[in-house]
Amino acid sequence: MRGRTVLRGAAVRAAVLLLLAGFCPAPAAAAASGSRGLSAVIRYTEYGIPHIVARDYAGLGFGSGWAQARDNVCALAEAFLTVRGERSRWFGPDPAPDPQGSFATSNLASDLYYRGVRDAGTVEHLRATPAPAGPSLAVTELGRGWAAGYNAWLRRNPVTDPACAGAGWVGPVSAVDVSALDYSLAVLLGEGRAIDGITAAEPPAPVTTPAVHGDEPARVPAPGVPATGKASHGPPVARSAHPGSNAVAFHGSTTANGHGLLLGNPHFPWHGTHRFWQSQQTIPGELNVMGASLLGTPTVAIGHNADTAWSHTVATGVPMNLYELTLDPADPTTYLVDGRPERMTRRTVTVPVKDGTPVTRDQWWTRYGPVLTALDTTGPLPWTSTTAYALTDPNAANLRGSDTALALARAHGTDEVLSALNRTQGLPWANTVAADAAGHTLFTQSQVLPRITDDLARRCSTPLGTATYPATGLAVLDGSRSHCAPGTDPQALQPGIFGPDAMPTLQDTSYVENSNDSAWLTNADHPLTGYERVFGTIGTPLSLRTRGALQDVSALADRGDLSVRDLQHHQFADRSTAGDLASTGLAASCPAPAQDPREAVDAGGGTADGIAGACRVLARWDRTMNTDSRGALLFDRFWRRLTADTPPQDLWKVPFSPADPLRTPHTLNAASRAVPRALEGAVAELRAAGIPLDAPWGDTQFVVRAGNRIPVPGGSAELGVWNVIDALWDPAGGGYRDVESGTSYLQAVGWNGSGCPEAQTLLAYAQSSDPTSPHHADQTALFSTGQWVTSRFCEKDILHSPDLQVVTVSERPFPGYDPQQTLEQGSGVGLRKG
């Protein structure tokens, strides 16, 4: 039996090597493929992870498009429907698009925006822009190949996912569609936040007589800015998307072997079009990278190669600004710049609607960008007879994201990572954290941001802008003065953005860490300062997640002798910083323990004796959000109630101090009546739902796959948990019954001198959104128990996979093609003839 296994393995390896030798005879070049058209070899290992090999970029894109369609065809088809502006045609105008992937509140608003982009030829224009301001030939070829691979899979395979099986809206796509998905990601936190406001903007009637004092509507606070004008925490993002993330890199001086370490933990939706998908992409002699791509994109966004690993976190930089326009009351579609009138450009957009008459609306554009009347859900920006607002989003001219991803995939060391970011300037809203085999670390907030300097904001802010810019980083500038334009940075690839020298950057400290706070405390011992407010704050309170993360990673760095195993343990420690900080104050608010044992009822049985029973449960809670943690749910519900009803300044006895940012604020204000009130409310809520106060966390936070409950560890960012999970609260359904977003693609990467990276990965929601796929929940089960997948990056590791399956895919069938033929009957290796 052992000899047969060895022979089988040898036969498989020999056949695969032969296949690759014939299939990829030369180093990559972006050249036309042979008579078979585009083609690739896909080798599947455990958990359905594909290792895609091709001779050129178009072939690599072909294999990626094929493999992504195999796993996620319905999610992809819906994404393409969105960027074509065809949701209303198939689903009707009223339902909202994917709430985890769009800020639009209706299909109609989404369609009006994206159909307008399509009608204007925006994506086509950006595709035609010469590199480096536009996409490179390699990226263009990747996109062309991706579309061809997706289409080839559709032609040859039935759709089994019940979400779209037999649906008329599933069909072929073009390379422009692939680029349009890239574009939608670029503008996600800019124009994407204003879709409702852009598509609803209508000019008022002209005024034929001078306005009477008091006729103008009062100015209102801008989106995300409280009436007090006090700073809100973090970037202005909306309720519908939950991008976040953690990442930490450790310097070789802190590790056991002198090599670097990186832990990446992006927080992204578990459903819909913004899921990650894992693969390895190889062009012999040209490219070899492994990691995760967002669905529909042809490049690896977060990953590692042989000697470098990187991850991204959503940055605090505000990738847009507003201009307040001075209008001609006799024609409110005309605005004044330096006293001269300029007419707005009217774009008339028509959207087909299911079972209804097509809807036609006008959109209005200026030299600054589109006119809008709202920015996501935070408040109106009224268009009056004398004033309107226009949005400037520099990422609406940025189709370089895939070039940045490809450049990172080719980088050998953190210096080359930084060089790649400076050269391509394609990241719209993310930081980068990286480590390499030589032991170096890097953090940089290399974002495409409007070139809003603090000086420009001082000179050109409107009264509204004087409140919004300090509070949120959102500038509102005077559009009537041309010198209020952001100007040009000689290092920038496009007008109106910052060049590389302005980016907050930190290299080769003991660690670099980011959990979606500003760049300020990337390393607590080496604060970053001196950057413009549009990048983020300096000296302001940190989130509980950042505080806990910095405390933990700095302690690890001080301890030293670190390994990949330490990264894995940190990921699933699931410590609640809020629980640690609040425990003493919470205990002080609890009544004294009952003296009569007969008064101590079983809080876990649902017959809780009010606050006293809850206090006993919380006193025993281990202050983690592990699946076996008892008391985690009670604290979670208590904390949500308390923080919803209590201003931050009233929550703690000791206020925030910039001199002690990791430890302040602290000490729960137990004297506040809000504390027992929140605890009473949490107890009543759980009792009404029939959930024991000490129910294990995994019994109350779970997903259902194939009819089975899978417990889910982690908790909300508000609890200060690194392993973020945002779940749907449904007490009647047993608690948090489904995960909306949170931990997605995990990678813990190090090096040991062997030539192969030492990497552990995990895709929390698994590779496929198709419930009929064997890879719909297999990694979710691993995530539930804190297990990982050993990365098979090197050739020897791929070929030794017990689940190895080798498939060749080609644009056109060829003589001898037999998708059923296997190398050896029963071997589990499906080798299609090449």
Side-chain angles (χ1 to χ4, degrees):
M1 189 65 163
R2 178 178 175 82
R4 178 175 173 78
T5 301
V6 170
L7 284 173
R8 179 180 299 168
V12 170
R13 288 193 294 277
V16 170
L17 292 172
L18 263 176
L19 182 64
L20 293 178
F23 212 68
C24 306
S33 298
S35 60
R36 293 176 185 169
L38 303 177
S39 52
V41 177
I42 306 176
R43 296 174 293 172
Y44 287 97
T45 57
E46 297 95 316
Y47 304 100
I49 297 171
H51 306 256
I52 304 161
V53 187
R55 64 166 65 91
D56 54 33
Y57 284 106
L60 190 64
F62 182 88
S64 298
W66 177 291
Q68 283 196 32
R70 176 183 183 265
D71 288 333
N72 294 285
V73 65
C74 291
L76 286 164
E78 186 172 347
F80 289 120
L81 204 68
T82 296
V83 297
R84 286 173 171 170
E86 296 182 349
R87 298 187 63 86
S88 300
R89 173 188 174 191
W90 295 97
F91 306 140
D94 296 327
D98 172 17
Q100 300 304 314
S102 174
F103 291 90
T105 58
S106 70
N107 285 335
L108 181 59
S110 176
D111 288 342
L112 287 167
Y113 174 76
Y114 283 110
R115 182 61 65 98
V117 170
R118 186 62 61 100
D119 290 351
T122 302
V123 174
E124 291 89 338
H125 171 73
L126 293 175
R127 282 170 54 86
T129 302
S136 66
L137 178 59
V139 163
T140 300
E141 287 290 278
L142 275 169
R144 177 176 75 87
W146 196 102
Y150 176 88
N151 294 340
W153 186 91
L154 274 181
R155 286 195 304 270
R156 298 185 198 169
N157 294 278
V159 175
T160 59
D161 187 340
C164 69
W169 47 270
V170 180
V173 302
S174 68
V176 172
D177 292 324
V178 176
S179 294
L181 274 183
D182 274 350
Y183 180 86
S184 71
L185 288 169
V187 301
L188 178 65
L189 297 185
E191 285 185 9
R193 290 184 56 217
I195 286 176
D196 283 2
I198 293 169
T199 58
E202 294 183 12
V207 175
T208 56
T209 58
V212 178
H213 180 71
D215 286 351
E216 280 293 306
R219 296 188 189 275
V220 295
V225 180
T228 62
K230 291 183 178 179
S232 59
H233 181 77
V237 295
R239 85 291 176 261
S240 60
H242 302 277
S245 304
N246 306 300
V248 60
F250 288 101
H251 191 265
S253 60
T254 72
T255 67
N257 57 17
H259 301 290
L261 290 171
L262 178 125
L263 174 60
N265 172 211
H267 305 146
F268 263 69
W270 277 39
H271 305 282
T273 59
H274 286 174
R275 284 168 55 108
F276 280 109
W277 176 83
Q278 188 177 0
S279 70
Q280 183 175 10
Q281 295 183 331
T282 304
I283 301 174
E286 172 78 6
L287 177 72
N288 194 13
V289 60
M290 190 162 192
S293 310
L294 288 173
L295 289 182
T297 59
T299 52
V300 168
I302 290 173
H304 68 86
N305 55 34
D307 45 25
T308 307
W310 69 95
S311 195
H312 299 302
T313 62
V314 175
T316 54
V318 181
M320 62 182 166
N321 68 279
L322 299 178
Y323 280 93
E324 188 173 298
L325 307 178
T326 300
L327 306 180
D328 177 356
D331 179 5
T333 64
T334 296
Y335 58 103
L336 304 178
V337 180
D338 298 333
R340 297 180 179 180
E342 291 189 14
R343 291 193 61 82
M344 298 177 186
T345 300
R346 184 203 306 243
R347 292 184 182 177
T348 300
V349 181
T350 299
V351 169
V353 175
K354 181 181 181 181
D355 302 326
T357 304
V359 174
T360 299
R361 297 271 176 84
D362 291 333
Q363 297 171 26
W364 299 88
W365 292 70
T366 71
R367 63 158 64 184
Y368 304 113
V371 176
L372 73 165
T373 54
L375 193 58
D376 57 59
T377 60
T378 52
L381 294 165
W383 188 347
T384 73
S385 60
T386 59
T387 304
Y389 294 88
L391 182 145
T392 294
D393 179 1
N395 285 294
N398 170 25
L399 205 59
R400 299 184 298 275
S402 287
D403 269 297
T404 295
L406 187 58
L408 295 179
R410 296 163 167 164
H412 300 289
T414 57
D415 282 346
E416 291 191 19
V417 168
L418 185 59
S419 175
L421 292 165
N422 292 346
R423 186 175 67 254
T424 59
Q425 301 176 28
L427 292 182
W429 34 260
N431 304 306
T432 301
V433 174
D436 64 27
H440 300 295
T441 59
L442 168 70
F443 165 87
T444 182
Q445 188 180 344
S446 295
Q447 269 188 274
V448 174
L449 292 179
R451 193 173 173 272
I452 307 296
T453 64
D454 294 350
D455 177 66
L456 178 66
R458 279 190 295 270
R459 290 188 288 107
C460 289
S461 287
T462 65
L464 184 58
T466 59
T468 64
Y469 185 70
T472 69
L474 176 66
V476 185
L477 305 179
D478 184 354
S480 70
R481 295 182 284 162
S482 62
H483 69 262
C484 290
T488 299
D489 189 320
Q491 295 180 317
L493 289 180
Q494 71 182 71
I497 68 172
F498 285 103
D501 284 352
M503 307 300 170
T505 299
L506 188 64
Q507 292 182 271
D508 286 337
T509 51
S510 59
Y511 68 86
V512 288
E513 192 281 337
N514 186 265
S515 293
N516 307 128
D517 269 291
S518 69
W520 173 43
L521 289 188
T522 294
N523 182 296
D525 297 323
H526 300 275
L528 284 169
T529 59
Y531 47 85
E532 310 289 349
R533 173 63 184 88
V534 70
F535 283 90
T537 58
I538 297 169
T540 57
L542 304 172
S543 72
L544 289 178
R545 177 159 55 96
T546 293
R547 287 175 64 183
L550 286 172
Q551 290 164 3
D552 291 345
V553 302
S554 60
L556 285 170
D558 289 343
R559 193 200 78 192
D561 201 33
L562 301 179
S563 67
V564 169
R565 185 176 295 276
D566 291 302
L567 303 182
Q568 295 174 271
H569 180 267
H570 176 70
Q571 174 60 43
F572 286 106
D574 291 329
R575 176 172 78 92
S576 169
T577 308
D580 285 341
L581 287 171
S583 58
T584 302
L586 187 55
S589 71
C590 286
Q595 299 300 311
D596 186 343
R598 290 173 296 179
E599 297 179 26
V601 298
D602 179 11
T607 58
D609 53 346
I611 286 186
C615 286
R616 287 193 294 274
V617 170
L618 292 176
R620 295 192 295 265
W621 175 44
D622 63 5
R623 302 173 194 169
T624 76
M625 311 305 288
N626 293 322
T627 55
D628 59 355
S629 178
R630 294 180 179 271
L633 178 65
L634 177 61
F635 184 81
D636 170 88
R637 300 310 299 170
F638 156 75
W639 191 250
R640 289 174 189 263
R641 287 174 175 269
L642 181 63
T643 53
D645 295 338
T646 308
Q649 63 270 22
D650 297 336
L651 190 61
W652 307 103
K653 286 185 176 180
V654 179
F656 169 74
S657 168
D660 192 10
L662 298 193
R663 295 193 300 169
T664 60
H666 65 74
T667 308
L668 188 68
N669 183 13
S672 170
R673 178 68 185 107
V675 173
R677 186 168 59 242
L679 194 52
E680 288 167 358
V683 169
E685 182 179 34
L686 297 189
R687 290 182 68 185
I691 301 174
L693 300 186
D694 65 347
W697 182 237
D699 288 0
T700 58
Q701 180 170 272
F702 55 88
V703 295
V704 178
R705 299 290 184 265
N708 300 313
R709 281 191 179 191
I710 302 177
V712 175
S716 74
E718 288 72 21
L719 293 171
V721 181
W722 171 281
N723 186 25
V724 168
I725 292 292
D726 289 319
L728 178 67
W729 176 241
D730 178 20
Y736 290 106
R737 64 170 176 81
D738 197 11
V739 176
E740 295 180 305
S741 66
T743 291
S744 52
Y745 171 70
L746 294 170
Q747 62 172 8
V749 185
W751 293 268
N752 55 21
S754 68
C756 293
E758 183 184 354
Q760 299 286 317
T761 68
L762 187 62
L763 191 58
Y765 39 67
Q767 281 282 82
S768 178
S769 55
D770 180 355
T772 69
S773 167
H775 304 300
H776 178 60
D778 49 359
Q779 292 194 66
T780 311
L782 297 181
F783 179 69
S784 176
T785 55
Q787 298 182 72
W788 297 69
V789 177
T790 299
S791 175
R792 294 186 179 274
F793 179 82
C794 285
E795 194 68 17
K796 63 181 178 62
D797 297 317
I798 297 170
L799 297 179
H800 279 91
S801 169
D803 294 341
L804 182 64
Q805 187 177 30
V806 185
V807 179
T808 66
V809 294
S810 179
E811 235 180 333
R812 293 187 291 275
F814 38 83
Y817 174 83
D818 181 2
Q820 302 303 317
Q821 182 168 346
T822 58
L823 180 68
E824 180 180 351
Q825 187 65 34
S827 70
V829 178
L831 178 60
R832 297 183 181 182
K833 290 183 178 179

